[in-house]
Amino acid sequence: MNQLIPIYIKSMLIILAISVITISLIVKKNNRIRKLQILLHKLKRSFYNLDEQAKLIVKTDLELNKAQEELDKRLHGLEALQKTSRLISTTLDENEIFHRLNQSLMTDLDYEKNLILVYGENKIFYSRVSSGFSEEDVHFIISNIEKDVNLINALINGNTFSSANAPKQRIESITHLFDVEHFVLTPILTQNGFIGIVFVGNRSNAPGITEGDEELISILANQIGQSIENARLFEQVFLSHQSLETKVLDRTKQLESALEEVKNISKTKSEFVSAVSHELRTPLTSIKGYASILMAGKLGEIPDKVKKRLEKINMHSDNLVKLINELLDISRIESGRVEMHLEKTNMLNLIENVQDLLTPQFKNKGVNWVTEADESIPELLIDSSQVERVFINLISNAVKFTPTDGSITVRAKKENEDIQFDISDTGIGISKEDIKRLFDEFYRVDNNINQNVKGTGLGLAVAKKIVEAHGGKIWISSEEGNGTTFHFTIPIQPTNKTES
Ligand code: ADP
């Protein structure tokens, strides 16, 4: 059979088989190549993606670094601002504020050029803080700013300019004027308005200005404004306090010398009253004596008509003696010439004595007496005859000015360190105007009762002197038509006044 198949066919079959095998191998390889190509493509895409991501990471990292830097800068700026603010807010001296600012701006705020201009008198700028500028630069800047009405108006309106966000033309003019590349220019404002500017700037090779710087310098300018305002207010208060003190001193001196003068006049008056009273007393005693002799008929019988006149002479002489004695008392108590005979006195007994003494008056007028005294009040060291005079005077007045059926109440109670006595009546009362003058010597209210009943207007003045000589106080509460209360106190422990 083998011989039947010719050799060429065998060869061809072999070749065919080999071809088939080869072709199938090639097809397989191609398939693998295609697969590999797909894989390669995928790989490439992954690489591309990775590359993109790496780029993104690098970009983000850069941005983060930048943000971090910006944050660090802001933090540093804020710390510097806090420090500067603390420094300038702890002094109330304007010069000291700028002195501290000068140091702090240069050491803490890291700008190459700093300038603070503040209005002096007549709205002329003065440089208060300057670094990075010569004197000529500052003069040049001041004269240019003062001429730039638009800039001044914008600053007055509270506008801040910076190289980061000002209009181009403005940036150019400011960078040119201050010879910087980056800057912040902000107004100093107070309650009274615009008073100056704060400028900070850097040259071209230094770091630029961000919005953070702008904010920072604006806050600093506000702080400066506030500190200056406080310092000026303090100075004003201090100056007015000083002038007030001088005025008070002057006034005190004037008052002291006026008081001295009043004391001298009062002394002269007392001496005069005392001398005149003495001089009057002697002839008055004679008049009274002769009148009595005549009335007694010792010089012969006298007709009734004459007797009546003599009685009048006697009565008027008595009034005059009373007046003279009261005048003498006042001047004596005033000059301390009345000796107080102090003795421990039971005040309830003293009030009872006065009641006994005045009972006829009460009966005549038809007025009731009420005593409301605290039984436990201690004995007081007083001149009882003098204090009795006070009671008699106040109660007699109360009877005089209280209508029939009225009542008079005498109270005694402990009030802190004093015993307080109140004499209340249901009488005509006293107006506010009269109350003010009632303790003045010779002062009498102009009313019907006073027109009919004679009086000296000295009783209350004497009472006041006696109470004060005992270290006490006397005052009145009254309402017209609604009765009157006279209050007076006497200290439980005698004061120096009474002891001397
Ligand atoms: P005099 O009684 O001699 O007038 P005083 O100094 O004792 O002098 O009193 C001064 C004036 O005070 C009296 O004239 C009277 O007008 C007024 N006065 C005093 N006590 C009373 C009172 N209890 N009620 C109303 N007026 C009074």
Side-chain angles (χ1 to χ4, degrees):
M1 177 69 183
N2 275 349
Q3 274 152 8
L4 286 176
I5 304 166
I7 287 204
Y8 72 93
I9 291 178
K10 265 186 184 175
S11 312
M12 277 191 51
L13 281 172
I14 289 167
I15 289 167
L16 191 70
I18 289 169
S19 300
V20 168
I21 290 166
T22 312
I23 286 168
S24 76
L25 278 174
I26 287 171
V27 168
K28 261 189 185 172
K29 211 171 181 180
N30 272 351
N31 277 346
R32 276 188 72 188
I33 286 172
R34 210 171 302 127
K35 273 184 187 165
L36 278 174
Q37 272 178 336
I38 291 169
L39 274 175
L40 190 68
H41 184 68
K42 275 187 182 170
L43 211 63
K44 268 187 179 169
R45 262 182 50 198
S46 299
F47 268 125
Y48 177 77
N49 283 345
L50 270 176
D51 190 41
E52 283 299 303
Q53 274 175 12
K55 275 185 196 158
L56 200 70
I57 288 170
V58 170
K59 202 177 151 205
T60 317
D61 189 45
L62 277 174
E63 275 170 10
L64 271 175
N65 273 342
K66 217 175 138 198
Q68 180 68 44
E69 256 174 42
E70 182 67 22
L71 262 177
D72 284 348
K73 203 176 151 202
R74 276 197 137 191
L75 194 70
H76 174 71
L78 280 173
E79 277 171 1
L81 176 70
Q82 194 199 20
K83 188 179 162 200
T84 314
S85 298
R86 203 178 327 118
L87 277 177
I88 60 173
S89 61
T90 48
T91 175
L92 286 167
D93 177 345
E94 198 171 326
N95 289 332
E96 182 60 23
I97 290 175
F98 291 115
H99 175 67
R100 291 182 184 185
L101 265 174
N102 210 352
Q103 287 179 337
S104 179
L105 271 181
M106 281 194 265
T107 51
D108 301 316
L109 277 170
D110 292 339
Y111 296 104
E112 288 179 340
K113 291 186 161 196
N114 304 294
L115 185 65
I116 297 181
L117 303 178
V118 174
Y119 271 152
E121 274 170 28
N122 305 327
K123 295 226 165 164
I124 294 171
F125 277 127
Y126 287 92
S127 156
R128 303 302 308 258
V129 170
S130 159
S131 66
F133 294 102
S134 69
E135 241 176 76
E136 290 86 65
D137 290 341
V138 174
H139 281 306
F140 179 71
I141 290 168
I142 289 178
S143 64
N144 275 279
I145 289 187
E146 280 174 344
K147 274 187 251 157
D148 193 340
V149 182
N150 285 342
L151 178 65
I152 295 284
N153 281 340
L155 290 166
I156 288 173
N157 289 330
N159 291 319
T160 294
F161 297 97
S162 85
S163 46
N165 70 5
K168 201 169 164 248
Q169 249 186 328
R170 188 46 84 193
I171 295 181
E172 274 171 11
S173 74
I174 295 176
T175 49
H176 176 71
L177 180 61
F178 289 87
D179 189 21
V180 288
E181 189 80 11
H182 315 287
F183 68 87
V184 179
L185 173 64
T186 190
I188 303 175
L189 298 166
T190 65
Q191 298 237 355
N192 296 329
F194 172 71
I195 60 158
I197 59 155
V198 177
F199 173 88
V200 295
N202 284 336
R203 290 192 190 88
S204 54
N205 47 355
I209 292 285
T210 61
E211 278 179 16
D213 292 273
E214 192 180 319
E215 211 177 310
L216 192 84
I217 299 303
S218 299
I219 297 172
L220 178 67
N222 280 343
Q223 186 66 48
I224 295 174
Q226 236 165 48
S227 298
I228 292 177
E229 195 158 41
N230 288 346
R232 289 182 180 175
L233 272 175
F234 176 74
E235 198 176 315
Q236 263 177 24
V237 171
F238 181 73
L239 287 179
S240 73
H241 178 76
Q242 264 188 337
S243 88
L244 209 72
E245 237 172 37
T246 331
K247 272 188 198 156
V248 168
L249 275 178
D250 285 353
R251 263 290 152 83
T252 313
K253 270 187 200 151
Q254 282 172 8
L255 280 174
E256 271 169 3
S257 77
L259 187 71
E260 201 52 41
E261 210 171 307
V262 168
K263 272 187 188 164
N264 285 339
I265 292 171
S266 167
K267 197 172 160 231
T268 318
K269 181 209 78 177
S270 293
E271 282 166 7
F272 171 76
V273 169
S274 167
V276 170
S277 308
H278 267 296
E279 291 306 313
L280 283 174
R281 222 156 48 162
T282 323
L284 206 58
T285 316
S286 302
I287 293 171
K288 238 180 94 70
Y290 286 127
S292 301
I293 292 170
L294 285 172
M295 268 194 332
K298 287 183 184 167
L299 298 176
E301 201 57 35
I302 48 162
D304 277 354
K305 256 186 174 177
V306 179
K307 206 171 185 178
K308 269 190 187 156
R309 303 292 188 280
L310 283 172
E311 272 167 5
K312 278 206 168 165
I313 291 176
N314 211 17
M315 188 190 87
H316 287 300
S317 305
D318 279 344
N319 284 343
L320 269 177
V321 169
K322 190 175 167 241
L323 173 73
I324 287 166
N325 283 343
E326 281 178 342
L327 276 174
L328 269 173
D329 282 340
I330 288 182
S331 62
R332 280 200 202 124
I333 298 172
E334 255 176 9
S335 61
R337 276 182 287 125
V338 161
E339 236 181 83
M340 292 282 168
H341 301 290
L342 300 180
E343 52 192 350
K344 283 214 159 187
T345 309
N346 179 316
M347 297 310 290
L348 300 184
N349 290 347
L350 186 142
I351 293 171
E352 250 177 53
N353 282 347
V354 175
Q355 188 177 5
D356 286 345
L357 217 79
L358 297 181
T359 301
Q361 274 189 37
F362 274 77
K363 285 206 169 139
N364 276 348
K365 189 82 187 269
V367 174
N368 294 319
W369 172 300
V370 183
T371 308
E372 289 176 4
D374 180 354
E375 304 277 330
S376 65
I377 58 170
E379 290 188 332
L380 296 179
L381 192 64
I382 53 167
D383 183 326
S384 54
S385 66
Q386 297 286 3
V387 175
E388 204 173 272
R389 280 180 73 187
V390 176
F391 274 104
I392 292 173
N393 182 281
L394 298 182
I395 298 170
S396 304
N397 277 343
V399 175
K400 206 193 296 179
F401 295 101
T402 301
T404 309
D405 288 338
S407 68
I408 286 152
T409 310
V410 180
R411 292 186 197 87
K413 60 181 175 192
K414 188 170 175 285
E415 247 337 293
N416 304 322
E417 309 298 306
D418 302 316
I419 302 298
Q420 183 175 319
F421 303 95
D422 300 330
I423 290 111
S424 302
D425 63 50
T426 54
I428 61 168
I430 308 164
S431 73
K432 276 194 185 126
E433 281 312 300
D434 287 322
I435 288 179
K436 284 186 210 154
R437 302 193 50 199
L438 223 58
F439 292 107
D440 291 353
E441 289 155 29
F442 303 109
Y443 189 78
R444 303 185 78 217
V445 180
D446 188 9
N447 57 30
N448 286 343
I449 301 176
N450 270 343
Q451 273 161 20
N452 296 326
V453 185
K454 289 268 167 292
T456 57
L458 285 171
L460 290 179
V462 175
K464 185 169 187 269
K465 296 268 180 297
I466 295 173
V467 169
E468 285 173 356
H470 281 83
K473 282 190 190 116
I474 186 165
W475 69 102
I476 306 166
S477 11
S478 182
E479 218 180 89
E480 252 179 316
N482 265 335
T484 302
T485 300
F486 277 85
H487 316 264
F488 72 93
T489 58
I490 293 186
I492 298 169
Q493 292 299 326
T495 60
N496 290 341
K497 258 186 177 175
T498 33
E499 276 169 342
S500 61

